[in-house]
Amino acid sequence: MLGYRTAIAALALGSALLASTAMAADAKHEEGTLPSGFPYQISMPGNWNGIVISDLDAVTNLKDPIPVDLLAKGYAYIGTGRHPERMTKHDPLTELDAQAAVIDLFAQKFGKAKHVIQYGCSGGGYVTLAMAEKHPDKINGAVAFNARGTGGMAVANTWLDLPFALKALLAPGSDLMVAPVPNSALPAAYDAWKAVMDKAQATPEGRARIALAVAVSQWPTWGSIEDTPAKPASDDLAALEKAMVKSASDGLANSVKRRQLYDNPAGLASWNSGIDYKAFYEKGADAQQKKIIAELYEKAGLGGKDAIEKDLDQIDAQPRIEGSRDGVNYWLKPGRLIGGDIKVPLLHIHGLGDALLPPHLSEGYAVAVKKEGHEDLYRRAFLQASGHCKTEVSEAEAAIQAMVDRLDTGKWGDTSADALNAMAKKAGTQMPRYVTYTFETPFNRAFYADSKHPF
């Protein structure tokens, strides 16, 4: 795929730019395909406020509520769609180049913006973190939701831990596929998993062990992907048990069906050789999860602490996965692996009930930023929200407004949960869900440039 400079040169000649009908009477909209194969779009409102929002998913999301509202309020909204070959040739470096190319194209057509803010969720959130590190000359600030932390390595390893622990506890010695799970093995590989999970969910012993796998893997107690179940009360053991089974089920389906995203470019991109899962539980599971699991084990008649330790030993006793040299090294390249060396202000937000990208991933990135000495540029926030990228319009606009204030004044204002909720209430009618939150434990699968790996 071509870099952004080549893309701009081609677009300047008009070889890839397509004009379309305006989105509205006073708005300009252009779309096309970059030479690298990325679709892109530029939407310029008639009442432009001088601020550009750049998004990896701007093509796909253009008609969604958040961009529609941003355009109505005078923000230009630009960016790309995901590359059509992303599931087999995923490369964040090309995604960064594509964002830079569209930002440059916008500047050529409309002049210099007051502020360019990189924005995105999930993969777009990762691109936002990476743009703050790798392309600070193209943007002034960054707002990332539900990002995948330091990169593909941390996610691939996290997506390995959950099915590995579940297999060890529910079906040791079976032929359930953990990693790799090639596309050719689907959907049969997941169907086999679903049968095992359905059987386990039908018994209190099975549900207790599913909850243990959730804690070992640092999945949220209350987690989902597509839907948004209500948060269980902290004293309702049955509801908490149900929530942890839901978190595991959604996380497992994703880990089995979508890990090819990380393995396809160069090979198996995760490993657990040398991992001590008992230590992961002791150091990484929070106190509430441990309390829930102790109660579930007792309720199921499995026993107390000794039974939990026996099951943790069962996980540690399983044959390990080493990954592949090419697969691991692919994700170690700077840009595919980021390290917290941000050079523009960054507001980093994560939903606490995300079962696709568990919120502990954000803790790994926060540590990276601190190591690099950039805490002055960095702020974090959390949403009491289940599901993946289920951000409300008002919540997104509060985050963007906080960033605009930071860029206008040169210093951070109040980015506490109360302050963000107050801004969100002014921006929309939904009840905002920002909450104060601090992780009790480190992210077990945090991965940095100097982290140990098998190759």
Side-chain angles (χ1 to χ4, degrees):
M1 297 180 184
L2 300 178
Y4 74 88
R5 293 182 179 85
T6 305
I8 285 297
L11 288 171
L13 294 173
S15 62
L17 183 61
L18 300 175
S20 71
T21 57
M23 305 176 57
D26 62 347
K28 296 178 181 179
H29 177 66
E30 296 178 344
E31 60 185 31
T33 303
L34 298 173
S36 57
F38 283 87
Y40 77 93
Q41 72 84 28
I42 293 173
S43 295
M44 178 64 155
N47 61 335
W48 186 36
N49 60 12
I51 300 171
V52 174
I53 305 297
S54 175
D55 185 355
L56 171 71
D57 296 311
V59 171
T60 306
N61 293 348
L62 180 58
K63 295 182 180 180
D64 286 354
I66 292 172
V68 167
D69 206 55
L70 288 170
L71 284 163
K73 291 181 177 176
Y75 293 91
Y77 182 67
I78 72 172
T80 65
R82 302 193 182 196
H83 197 278
E85 297 179 313
R86 187 174 189 264
M87 281 301 295
T88 55
K89 299 179 181 179
H90 179 32
D91 187 354
L93 295 176
T94 62
E95 294 176 340
L96 301 181
D97 284 348
Q99 299 309 294
V102 181
I103 292 169
D104 281 354
L105 179 60
F106 179 90
Q108 288 183 7
K109 295 186 68 64
F110 297 106
K112 182 177 176 61
K114 178 184 177 183
H115 304 308
V116 177
I117 298 173
Q118 188 69 35
Y119 169 91
C121 191
S122 191
Y126 173 80
V127 165
T128 297
L129 303 183
M131 287 289 285
E133 294 192 24
K134 303 301 179 185
H135 284 295
D137 57 320
K138 301 297 179 185
I139 65 173
N140 305 104
V143 177
F145 281 86
N146 295 59
R148 61 181 193 235
T150 53
M153 191 68 68
V155 180
N157 279 333
T158 298
W159 286 5
L160 168 63
D161 288 342
L162 180 63
F164 185 85
L166 286 168
K167 181 178 178 179
L169 294 172
L170 304 180
S174 72
D175 59 359
L176 289 174
M177 298 186 74
V178 173
V181 185
N183 285 321
S184 60
L186 296 171
Y190 176 67
D191 290 343
W193 263 110
K194 190 173 185 308
V196 169
M197 289 292 286
D198 287 347
K199 182 179 179 181
Q201 290 175 42
T203 69
E205 298 91 345
R207 295 192 295 271
R209 288 185 167 121
I210 289 172
L212 180 60
V214 166
V216 168
S217 309
Q218 292 190 306
W219 243 256
T221 298
W222 165 58
S224 64
I225 296 179
E226 293 298 333
D227 52 353
T228 54
K231 189 175 187 292
S234 60
D235 60 351
D236 187 339
L237 184 62
L240 290 165
E241 177 184 55
K242 182 178 179 181
M244 293 183 86
V245 168
K246 169 68 172 174
S247 186
S249 298
D250 280 20
L252 173 68
N254 179 75
S255 297
V256 172
K257 294 178 180 179
R258 294 187 70 245
R259 69 161 297 115
Q260 302 84 0
L261 181 70
Y262 300 103
D263 295 340
N264 271 328
L268 180 58
S270 58
W271 73 90
N272 61 5
S273 50
I275 294 298
D276 183 344
Y277 284 101
K278 181 177 282 188
F280 269 19
Y281 179 74
E282 292 170 353
K283 298 176 182 178
D286 64 38
Q288 187 201 36
Q289 285 185 329
K290 290 176 179 177
K291 180 176 181 292
I292 293 167
I293 289 162
E295 292 177 3
L296 290 177
Y297 265 65
E298 290 285 2
K299 179 183 175 183
L302 292 169
K305 182 178 179 182
D306 289 346
I308 294 170
E309 291 196 357
K310 182 178 178 180
D311 276 352
L312 291 169
D313 288 337
Q314 172 78 1
I315 300 173
D316 273 333
Q318 300 307 301
R320 299 312 178 94
I321 293 167
E322 193 170 79
S324 70
R325 181 179 300 276
D326 289 345
V328 171
N329 285 328
Y330 179 88
W331 290 103
L332 295 180
K333 184 172 182 178
R336 297 180 188 136
L337 174 68
I338 54 175
D341 188 18
I342 58 175
K343 302 174 182 69
V344 298
L346 169 63
L347 179 55
H348 188 189
I349 302 161
H350 212 103
L352 294 174
D354 188 347
L356 191 153
L357 294 177
H360 249 101
L361 285 159
S362 69
E363 180 72 0
Y365 191 73
V367 171
V369 171
K370 184 176 182 179
K371 286 181 177 179
E372 292 292 333
H374 294 313
E375 291 175 286
D376 58 326
L377 290 172
Y378 185 68
R379 292 293 184 273
R380 301 172 73 187
F382 297 96
L383 290 170
Q384 193 75 277
S386 57
H388 179 63
C389 291
K390 301 298 183 182
T391 312
E392 299 285 3
V393 173
S394 62
E395 293 162 349
E397 292 198 11
I400 290 170
Q401 185 59 55
M403 180 55 63
V404 171
D405 291 346
R406 168 64 177 79
L407 298 177
D408 282 347
T409 65
K411 59 183 180 180
W412 288 106
D414 188 351
T415 58
S416 67
D418 287 344
L420 289 171
N421 283 331
M423 283 190 278
K425 288 176 183 177
K426 291 179 181 178
T429 58
Q430 304 101 335
M431 182 59 67
R433 301 165 295 173
Y434 283 102
V435 292
T436 301
Y437 187 81
T438 302
F439 286 98
E440 297 178 2
T441 61
F443 176 40
N444 286 333
R445 282 297 202 163
F447 193 86
Y448 311 108
D450 59 352
S451 294
K452 182 180 178 181
H453 58 87
F455 304 102

